Amino acid sequence: MALIVMKFGGTSVANVERIKNVARQAIAKKKAGNDVVLVASAMAGVTDKLIGYLNELTPDHNLREYDQMVSTGETSNVPLIAQAIISAGEAAESFTGVQAGIQTNNSHSKARVVRIDTANLKRALGEGKICVVAGFQGYDPASGNITTLGRGGSDTTAVALAAALKADKCEIYTDVDGVYTADPRIVKDAKKLDVISHEEMLELASLGAKVLVSRCVELGMTHDIDIMVLSSLEDKQGTLVTSKLGGRNMENLVISGITSDKNQAKIVVSGLPDKVGTASKLFTELADANINIDVIVQNATRNELSDISFTVQKNELVRAKNVCDVAANRVGAKVHADENIAKVSIVGVGITSNVGVAATMFRVLAEHAINIQMISTSDIKISCVIDEKFAEVAVRSLHDAFITGK
Ligand code: ADP
Ligand code: ASP
Ligand code: MG
């Protein structure tokens, strides 16, 4: 008997009709002789609505209360799914993150899974039940507090459970039928990939391809779990994310994907003293406030002063700016924040071994009169920070240049 983890995202469980459809799919797997663990998100839009209430009160909210609040979207959805399965004649039991034994660290709003106590799930599976687990949530055993795993975290729950339960398959069902060379909602002629390496998927995901959250790909990579991305609405072949490719996509494309990430904001701290330890102090304070930093650029020194610019996730901008304001005040520097930015990236294992890729990217952006504010590169990606309003144009024209060859 095989064990299958099936994860359904928000649009796949957005209303009772869709929930009945999901119940049917889980029951079909069960009837085919498998053990089934179903991980579900909150109904589409619910998490955003809950966060909206908190932001209306204060954007600088307490993160313990944030977790306690936003986890309820999943908490209230899984009993409904379990009931749909029971009503269709199959045994099922719903589980919160706590009941599923998902232990995390105490990093509220982006907690990491530390350990999973699978006893409860194994007991229910042993009783022949389909386990319906709330995605996105866990708990910190030291304090007993509810935690959440970051936006899109139900993907992480699914892969973490697949690892802990040594599942035979991990299937992520969503509202597109696989991983494409760009977001198919932005680029109409984006190509579906039959297979992609964990490494490239990790890069695509962390650069904004939200079809999978990067943390789940990271887990898939470390635990060598193949992840199948499929449509919950159509019975079509999906995309396999695997390590069995030796790091290269089957299509042998130089560029495997184009992404954009609008969930970024830029902070510029200008007039910092050009002294040993300045960057260290600033970024230590940001790290102490548990803020993730992305692209960093330090400008050339003028008159013994320098500017440091960096990007953070939009939802951490207020906290990051507060930290920078305090640091800047101490040394007479100035802080400027810009929310209207996006990061566009090209991803592919061929980037460093192909001459002229960066030049082509910059030329394409220039041809569309898009100013590049920051650049960052790695072995398998080049990212440019640009004005948010050009994100879609940039993705389409880069896709034309690198993938469709127009
Ligand atoms: P779920 O609610 O099922 O977790 P998400 O909205 O988080 O679904 O992720 C699916 C969405 O990811 C798609 O609707 C699509 O617009 C977007 N997406 C972005 N980049 C890509 C890509 N390269 N391939 C496929 N989908 C992508
Ligand atoms: N509901 C959470 C979110 O919207 C988790 C998820 O959908 O994966 O981010
Ligand atoms: Mg998602």
Side-chain angles (χ1 to χ4, degrees), residues 7 9-11 173-176 178-180 182-185 209-211:
K7 179 259 167 178
T11 17
Y173 291 84
T174 182
D175 57 3
V176 283
V179 179
Y180 283 72
D183 186 340
R185 295 186 202 287
K210 74 173 201 153
V211 61

Side-chain angles (χ1 to χ4, degrees), residues 3-7 37 39 158 161-162 165 167 169-172:
L3 172 61
I4 305 186
V5 174
M6 307 170 81
K7 179 259 167 178
V37 174
V39 175
L161 280 175
L165 292 164
K169 282 186 181 168
C170 182
E171 300 176 337
I172 307 277

Side-chain angles (χ1 to χ4, degrees), residues 202-213:
L202 180 58
E203 207 74 19
L204 285 179
S206 54
L207 294 169
K210 74 173 201 153
V211 61
L212 287 182
V213 83

Side-chain angles (χ1 to χ4, degrees), residues 169-205:
K169 282 186 181 168
C170 182
E171 300 176 337
I172 307 277
Y173 291 84
T174 182
D175 57 3
V176 283
D177 59 355
V179 179
Y180 283 72
T181 48
D183 186 340
R185 295 186 202 287
I186 299 176
V187 179
K188 291 292 165 240
D189 55 0
K191 264 178 78 163
K192 185 163 81 180
L193 302 166
D194 293 333
V195 55
I196 184 170
S197 67
H198 278 127
E199 193 190 11
E200 282 172 296
M201 188 65 233
L202 180 58
E203 207 74 19
L204 285 179

